[in-house]
């Protein structure tokens, strides 16, 4: 019910845009975002946005390079990734939390299927 797309292979310095479509109950969330699993590293929540008000969060590792946005009418969340680095290589998951508490604690109720992003040097 969270359908992510837009991953692929890009050279360092390039850009990609990830999209996440929310359907059914997954749209009734407090906030959504993107987590990533880099090879050999722990899962990292890199960007988040609330449906109401559009408050955003960025991990330090992506701040200034990634931009998260939402389209409430289309029930879509996007992650624009610019100035990509090889260390951004990961599987990116669209995630959603049904309450503010869960969102803040990164205790997500919904996970998409993941989309691979590979950045070559």
């Amino acid at each position: 019910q969270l359908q992510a797309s837009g991953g692929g292979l890009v050279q360092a310095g390039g850009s990609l845009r990830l999209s996440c479509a929310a359907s059914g109950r997954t749209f009734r969330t407090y906030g959504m975002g993107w987590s990533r699993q880099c090879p050999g590293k722990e899962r990292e929540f890199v960007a988040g946005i609330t449906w109401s008000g559009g408050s955003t969060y960025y991990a330090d590792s992506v701040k200034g390079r990634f931009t998260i946005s939402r389209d409430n009418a289309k029930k879509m969340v996007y992650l624009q990734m610019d100035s990509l680095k090889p260390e951004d290589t990961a599987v990116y998951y669209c995630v959603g939390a049904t309450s503010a508490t869960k969102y803040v604690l990164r205790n997500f109720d919904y996970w998409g299927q993941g989309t691979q992003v590979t950045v070559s040097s």
Side-chain angles (χ1 to χ4, degrees), residues 36-44 85-93 116-119:
R36 69 184 183 185
Q37 182 79 60
C38 299
K41 296 185 178 180
E42 293 187 356
R43 190 171 291 165
E44 178 186 21
K85 305 175 181 179
E87 50 264 43
D88 293 318
T89 295
V91 177
Y92 285 74
Y93 298 91
Q116 177 70 46
V117 171
T118 302
V119 184

Side-chain angles (χ1 to χ4, degrees), residues 40-97:
K41 296 185 178 180
E42 293 187 356
R43 190 171 291 165
E44 178 186 21
F45 182 63
V46 297
I49 190 166
T50 59
W51 284 115
S52 177
S55 177
T56 58
Y57 161 84
Y58 297 98
D60 288 341
S61 57
V62 306
K63 199 170 293 182
R65 301 186 298 120
F66 289 12
T67 304
I68 190 169
S69 61
R70 78 206 192 289
D71 185 326
N72 291 42
K74 295 182 179 179
K75 304 178 184 178
M76 296 288 294
V77 175
Y78 306 98
L79 185 67
Q80 177 66 41
M81 305 185 294
D82 298 318
S83 302
L84 282 162
K85 305 175 181 179
E87 50 264 43
D88 293 318
T89 295
V91 177
Y92 285 74
Y93 298 91
C94 179
V95 296

Side-chain angles (χ1 to χ4, degrees), residues 87-109:
E87 50 264 43
D88 293 318
T89 295
V91 177
Y92 285 74
Y93 298 91
C94 179
V95 296
T98 55
S99 71
T101 299
K102 288 186 174 183
Y103 178 76
V104 170
L105 294 177
R106 312 297 186 235
N107 182 17
F108 301 110
D109 299 277

